[in-house]
Amino acid sequence: LNGDIVVDSIGQVGFDPGSAWNNNGVSTQNDTIRRKPGITAGDTNPGDAFDPSVEWESFGNNTFAGLGSIGDVMPPPPVFARISAVQGSGDSSPLAGAMVTIEGIVVGDFQNNGGADSGDLSGFYVQEEDIDADGDASTSEGIFVFDGGGTVDVEVGDLVRVSGEAKEFSGLTEIDADQVSVLSSGEPLPAEILLMLPLAGVDQLEAFEGMRVRFPQDLVISEYFNFDRFGEIVLALPFAGETRPMTPTAVELPGSAEYLARLDANQRSRITLDDGRTGPNPDPARHPNGAVFDLSNRFRGGDLVQDASGIMDDRFGAYRLQPTAGANHIIANPRPELPPFIDADIRVASFNVLNYFT
């Protein structure tokens, strides 16, 4: 049933055939039955008499050939489409659920094959060649290709043809690849898009999903709560005269117009710098400069990151940059060798103020 509508039926409601329905060598007991070629619709009358030999063929037990097919009807061939047509101008693909074929340049390799792969996202990003861009600023020219096991090992600069189903996965438009072909290698990459904070709106980044982008500004490391857990760092552009973005309730009255303006500005002035990996507790951790994070190569909140570049991604509820190169790290908040010495008696008291605001 689909709701109250009968889609298909096997057998006859209200009739007991004994151990099986059996006629002309087609049995429903200990056999595999498969619809005959040409039968493309189900039996929508479950009360009519049932003769299995009319619509069904019988095969040996556990015969899986033809599983999922309907008679001799083949699925429609993939539609060849530009990446921009798969992406569309909205939050989701207008071709979601359709079989499509696209061609483009691999601009980010995040398969799980090791070597030159930049992470473990089980796929790669493909961008339309510049000459084939549609010229519409509202449609992205890039897309993520999910290929699971990565049976075809691609590299950045490969021109590839990909066929598969267009899908939406947790906000990310992607192609679930059935077939990947490398047509050539060493091709020039599409031009990077320069993005500047603050954005006109957070949804502005949807038009660059899957594309090569770069943030040329000096952005401050403002949040690293998820750095050890998921390799994420938040880069932000603070208000003029401030070294870091302030939590709105720290400087404005909660609920006020100034508070709402500060909250909106903060959201439009930040981007998550990811590490191309999905597993928890990445080891080794990745420094924003692309090298290993360790005691000889570390950062602090308040330091600056310039020219962060990679692929614009959208997963786990946030737009994020999956890096393809190291950024410039500028120490702007050096760690002091020793705390300042004060020749005085000091009394320390502490109190938890985190619960003051509702």
Side-chain angles (χ1 to χ4, degrees):
L1 301 178
N2 180 7
D4 296 327
I5 300 174
V6 176
V7 177
D8 200 2
S9 61
I10 294 177
Q12 180 182 2
V13 172
F15 177 77
D16 181 4
S19 59
W21 274 280
N22 192 338
N23 194 32
N24 293 327
V26 180
S27 173
T28 60
Q29 184 180 40
N30 297 331
D31 275 347
T32 297
I33 59 172
R34 188 170 66 201
R35 278 262 167 60
K36 293 180 176 180
I39 305 298
T40 59
D43 179 1
T44 58
N45 182 5
D48 60 353
F50 180 69
D51 178 351
S53 65
V54 174
E55 291 191 358
W56 300 86
E57 295 176 314
S58 184
F59 300 88
N61 203 4
N62 297 326
T63 300
F64 296 105
L67 183 65
S69 63
I70 304 176
D72 59 356
V73 176
M74 299 297 292
V79 176
F80 186 86
R82 298 290 187 200
I83 293 175
S84 55
V86 180
Q87 281 281 8
S89 58
D91 290 338
S92 58
S93 171
L95 297 179
M99 298 298 293
V100 298
T101 295
I102 57 101
E103 286 185 8
I105 306 294
V106 175
V107 293
D109 181 6
F110 295 85
Q111 295 176 305
N112 302 356
N113 297 320
D117 294 0
S118 300
D120 65 356
L121 303 183
S122 297
F124 52 94
Y125 297 86
V126 177
Q127 187 169 333
E128 202 76 65
E129 296 167 279
D130 286 337
I131 195 173
D132 292 327
D134 68 351
D136 184 349
S138 67
T139 58
S140 171
E141 300 293 338
I143 197 165
F144 181 69
V145 175
F146 176 78
D147 69 341
T151 53
V152 177
D153 190 7
V154 304
E155 295 183 1
V156 172
D158 285 351
L159 174 65
V160 296
R161 178 181 295 133
V162 177
S163 296
E165 183 181 355
K167 288 185 175 181
E168 292 293 325
F169 177 76
S170 187
L172 177 70
T173 301
E174 66 179 29
I175 295 177
D176 192 348
D178 289 331
Q179 185 174 7
V180 177
S181 302
V182 177
L183 306 180
S184 61
S185 299
E187 299 291 342
L189 301 185
E192 267 183 339
I193 301 295
L194 296 184
L195 296 178
M196 302 289 286
L197 300 179
L199 303 166
V202 176
D203 56 357
Q204 175 186 346
L205 297 178
E206 180 67 23
F208 306 104
E209 184 183 78
M211 297 178 65
R212 299 181 68 219
V213 300
R214 179 162 59 91
F215 290 85
Q217 295 161 291
D218 289 348
L219 302 178
V220 66
I221 297 177
S222 66
E223 185 180 311
Y224 36 89
F225 178 79
N226 272 333
F227 178 66
D228 59 339
R229 180 64 170 159
F230 293 113
E232 300 174 358
I233 301 170
V234 175
L235 306 179
L237 184 70
F239 271 44
E242 298 177 356
T243 57
R244 303 194 209 181
M246 300 294 290
T247 299
T249 51
V251 290
E252 306 293 353
L253 183 67
S256 67
E258 293 79 8
Y259 159 82
L260 294 175
R262 171 78 69 150
L263 178 63
D264 174 67
N266 281 359
Q267 291 172 338
R268 293 185 292 105
S269 302
R270 54 186 279 151
I271 186 68
T272 297
L273 177 63
D274 211 334
D275 66 347
R277 293 175 286 183
T278 58
N281 310 312
D283 184 20
R286 184 186 192 277
H287 192 282
N289 63 19
V292 172
F293 174 88
D294 56 24
L295 292 180
S296 63
N297 184 41
R298 55 189 176 185
F299 63 84
R300 297 188 77 202
D303 285 352
L304 300 177
V305 173
Q306 181 189 64
D307 279 332
S309 62
I311 310 299
M312 181 56 61
D313 196 25
D314 180 10
R315 45 183 94 217
F316 307 117
Y319 289 101
R320 57 192 63 231
L321 191 65
Q322 302 293 357
T324 53
N328 296 326
H329 170 238
I330 303 169
I331 298 176
N333 183 28
R335 182 184 301 276
E337 291 295 329
L338 294 170
F341 177 74
I342 301 174
D343 188 11
D345 293 330
I346 300 175
R347 180 173 296 171
V348 178
S350 63
F351 187 72
N352 183 353
V353 300
L354 292 179
N355 297 322
Y356 273 173
F357 297 112
T358 60

